[in-house]
Amino acid sequence: MLVSEILFYLIIAFIVFDFLVERLLEYLNSTKWTNQMPDTVKGFYDAEKYQKTQDYQRTLHKFSMITSGFSFLLIMAMLLFGGFAIIDLMARNYSDNSIIVALIFFGIIGFASDILSLPFQIYSQFVIEKKFDFNKTTPKTFITDKIKTWVLGIVLGGGILAVLVWLYQELGTDFWIYAWIVISAFMLFMTMFYSTLIVPLFNKQKPLEEGSLKEKINQFAKNTGFKIDNIFVIDGSKRSTKANAYFAGLGSKKRIVLYDTLIQNHTEEEIVAVLAHEIGHYKKKHTFYGLFFSLFQTGILLFVVSLVIGNPDLSMAL
């Protein structure tokens, strides 16, 4: 048996094993859900809302089993019937430039994957979310979001991919070090400026108005030693009735963002309690650790890629 054939079957075996383990873990997790409200929250949490939450999670679980199964069958079909080779041939028939070939190859895969998953996205948004009274997204907003996401994918994803291919052409297998530096710089930049550059493309943000809520937030932040000058409200109600808040950025660029649904549907004390959770992420350095481990994982992945990227047997296997 050829080395490429052995690699091919190893890839298939790994994908099957990963899929089965992931689905088993999801199933085992779902068996722990119960309609019986825990004693620790009785009297604090509405029983009807708790039941609705359980039903919602079960529905999402069943739906995720279907979508993950579809994705699994799709990638298996691509491997078993030479789908990647067909797309590669299409890209190479269009251009001899390695950068353009890579952009076409991954562009086709990304776009086709998103189009094939579009029915599931629509069902999730306009059937499941609507069933549980969460959806506020209009078809127009859905389509606009999709177009914006594609454009961002082309500009940012395509730009980074072009740089990585160019680095490989110029440096060979040592490219991974410089690629790691480029991706790390991009990830750090996005961590700091995501809320100021990307979020406004989809949502409106405005500073929290002066008043008792802002005073309580500032007082709580002061008591916990958390300096924050940027508290914003985002129009989350544009897409969903769900309430949320998040902490983003580093250093002077850090900010707390409150969904308008959170402000509309909760008391000021409850909102401050939610912010205590978000501030906890900062105090525990979760953003820093998350970024560090992401960068570390990226470095390992790029190093492994550098070991196999020029292997003809692996290329034949795929």
Side-chain angles (χ1 to χ4, degrees), residues 66-86:
I66 296 174
T67 56
S68 60
F70 175 78
S71 298
F72 170 75
L73 293 175
L74 187 61
I75 192 171
M76 290 296 289
M78 289 290 288
L79 287 169
L80 294 172
F81 298 104
F84 294 113
I86 294 172

Side-chain angles (χ1 to χ4, degrees), residues 69-241:
F70 175 78
S71 298
F72 170 75
L73 293 175
L74 187 61
I75 192 171
M76 290 296 289
M78 289 290 288
L79 287 169
L80 294 172
F81 298 104
F84 294 113
I86 294 172
I87 297 175
D88 180 68
L89 183 61
M90 291 171 56
R92 294 183 186 281
N93 285 336
Y94 185 82
S95 175
D96 293 328
N97 185 287
S98 297
I99 294 177
I100 295 178
V101 169
L103 291 174
I104 294 174
F105 178 83
F106 287 104
I108 291 175
I109 290 177
F111 185 71
S113 176
D114 197 47
I115 291 296
L116 289 172
S117 66
L118 191 57
F120 298 104
Q121 298 173 35
I122 293 173
Y123 184 85
S124 174
Q125 188 67 56
F126 295 103
V127 177
I128 295 178
E129 295 296 304
K130 181 179 179 180
K131 176 182 177 181
F132 290 93
D133 300 321
F134 291 138
N135 181 55
K136 297 283 285 184
T137 302
T138 64
K140 179 181 178 181
T141 299
F142 182 85
I143 294 172
T144 303
D145 285 350
K146 182 60 64 177
I147 294 174
K148 290 178 181 178
T149 301
W150 286 340
V151 172
L152 282 174
I154 293 171
V155 174
L156 297 181
I160 291 177
L161 178 60
V163 171
L164 296 184
V165 175
W166 179 79
L167 286 172
Y168 176 67
Q169 288 179 322
E170 296 295 317
L171 303 172
T173 54
D174 290 335
F175 88 102
W176 74 273
I177 300 174
Y178 299 92
W180 190 14
I181 294 174
V182 170
I183 293 178
S184 297
F186 176 76
M187 291 174 66
L188 181 60
F189 178 82
M190 292 303 295
T191 298
M192 295 183 65
F193 297 102
Y194 175 80
S195 288
T196 55
L197 296 179
I198 304 300
V199 172
L201 298 176
F202 297 89
N203 290 91
K204 294 180 180 179
Q205 298 178 102
K206 61 180 182 180
L208 178 63
E209 296 178 355
E210 298 293 335
S212 61
L213 175 59
K214 188 171 184 178
E215 291 175 2
K216 289 180 180 178
I217 292 174
N218 285 329
Q219 185 60 49
F220 179 81
K222 181 179 179 180
N223 293 340
T224 56
F226 179 80
K227 187 178 185 303
I228 182 70
D229 298 319
N230 303 312
I231 306 174
F232 286 83
V233 179
I234 190 172
D235 59 340
S237 58
K238 179 180 179 181
R239 293 177 178 79
S240 175
T241 61

Side-chain angles (χ1 to χ4, degrees), residues 248-277:
L250 296 171
S252 62
K253 296 298 180 181
K254 67 178 182 292
R255 63 168 57 186
I256 285 177
V257 181
L258 308 175
Y259 279 48
D260 55 357
T261 47
L262 183 70
I263 295 176
Q264 294 165 6
N265 301 319
H266 294 271
T267 66
E268 293 182 351
E269 288 72 19
E270 289 172 334
I271 295 173
V272 172
V274 171
L275 287 181
H277 171 90

Side-chain angles (χ1 to χ4, degrees), residues 44-62:
F44 296 95
Y45 201 80
D46 182 76
E48 185 177 344
K49 288 184 178 180
Y50 179 81
Q51 180 63 55
K52 181 179 179 181
T53 300
Q54 295 296 298
D55 293 340
Y56 180 61
Q57 291 299 328
R58 289 190 180 93
T59 300
L60 290 182
H61 168 67
K62 292 177 182 178

